[in-house]
């Protein structure tokens, strides 16, 4: 038996595959389109490992997915494949609909056809785990209760809307066709192998290069931060014991403002890589992005009560591991920061420079 992982060369997907083989010998068929954020170097340690079967392909290619499911006798699908960057979704939403909505539809239909033909015992054991985001719930005010699994959807960006749409499809395929699905909503992930367009690695690498550290608005937007290995452990637990048709919120219990995160990164770099210190002098406030959600917070009580999962990393320990990883992997950073990536950063942030003045005491 085998599991099929979609998007397994991306940040969370690759970490999941690596984590899987630390706990299981069960083979993984890894289907990834290898867009700009997918990188086989994330999986270099698995080269020559017969348990890892990599296939370059698109989840919209339903015949390919159907062949993989049948040929490898897949018992579960773990669906990571998605366009996931909010700013990119604002500049070009069509890709997000194509991958996150249409791709999930084609994957569900391939899974349904395959699952329908399985013998009864294997039908009962099959699972479709859809990995989603807390952004589908919208934004919270200060003091407002964290998102629960019953919170109504209110997505505020094209990315969040595309993920909400895919969640609805997954839920509908369970209630209409009986497909045994599981849905998870995670808070902001961070850790090794995260593409440098995302907030934490962008700040680490810019600080190392002596470049401005761009923070939207007043820097007081709040996110709950989840170390990626904790997320992977939660997903393994949901796949093992989650109830079909149910949703589980996965959070790190680490609410931080964006400014607090950057200040913590600067303090770590001042200690671990002191050349250029103090790095906080690089903090730069830029024009806020459209529809910027003020606060996300996850109530992870259900997965803790029902499945016994709790995060093992605090924000301090997880962030230090992350900074140390990026400091030790300049080769990986150089390989992923292509010319296309640098052009995108310049195009996106260029309009906001020269820097605006930050609030007193920041720099």
């Amino acid at each position: 038996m085998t599991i099929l992982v979609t998007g397994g060369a991306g940040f969370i997907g690759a970490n999941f595959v690596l984590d899987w083989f630390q706990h299981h010998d069960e083979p993984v068929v890894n289907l990834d389109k290898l867009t700009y954020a997918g990188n086989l170097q994330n999986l270099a340690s698995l080269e020559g490992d017969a348990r890892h079967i990599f296939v370059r392909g698109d989840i919209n290619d339903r015949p390919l997915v159907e062949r993989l499911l049948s040929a490898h006798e897949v018992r579960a699908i773990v669906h990571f494949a998605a366009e996931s960057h909010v700013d990119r979704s604002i500049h070009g939403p069509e890709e997000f609909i194509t991958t996150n909505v249409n791709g999930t539809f084609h994957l569900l239909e391939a899974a349904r056809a395959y699952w329908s033909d399985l013998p009864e015992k294997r039908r009962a054991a099959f699972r479709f785990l859809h990995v989603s985001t807390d952004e589908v719930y919208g934004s919270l005010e200060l003091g407002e209760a964290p998102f629960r699994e019953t919170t109504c959807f209110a997505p505020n960006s094209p990315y969040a809307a595309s993920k909400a749409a895919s969640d609805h499809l997954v839920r509908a395929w369970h209630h209409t066709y009986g497909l045994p699905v599981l849905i998870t909503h995670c808070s902001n992930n961070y850790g090794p192998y995260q593409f440098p367009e995302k907030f934490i690695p962008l700040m680490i690498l810019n600080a190392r290069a002596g470049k401005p550290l761009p923070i939207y608005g007043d820097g007081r937007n709040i996110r709950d931060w989840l170390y990626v290995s904790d997320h992977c452990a939660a997903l393994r637990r949901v796949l093992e014991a989650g109830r079909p048709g149910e949703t589980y919120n996965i959070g790190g219990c680490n609410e931080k403002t964006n400014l607090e995160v950057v200040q913590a990164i600067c303090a770590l770099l001042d200690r671990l890589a002191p050349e250029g210190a103090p790095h906080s002098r690089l903090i730069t406030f830029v024009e806020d992005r459209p529809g910027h959600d003020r606060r996300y917070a996850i109530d992870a009580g259900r997965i803790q009560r029902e499945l016994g999962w709790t995060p093992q990393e605090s924000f301090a320990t997880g962030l230090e591991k992350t900074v140390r990883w990026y400091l030790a992997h300049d080769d990986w950073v150089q390989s992923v920061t292509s010319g296309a990536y640098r052009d995108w950063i310049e195009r996106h942030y260029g309009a906001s420079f020269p820097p605006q003045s930050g609030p007193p005491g920041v720099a």
Side-chain angles (χ1 to χ4, degrees), residues 324-360:
R324 287 184 179 276
W325 188 89
Y326 280 94
L327 291 176
H329 290 83
D330 280 336
D331 55 342
W332 182 89
V333 171
Q334 293 302 318
S335 73
V336 301
T337 51
S338 67
Y341 164 75
R342 289 192 297 271
D343 289 345
W344 186 87
I345 289 291
E346 182 177 344
R347 176 170 65 86
H348 183 71
Y349 287 114
S352 299
F353 287 88
Q356 300 175 11
S357 298

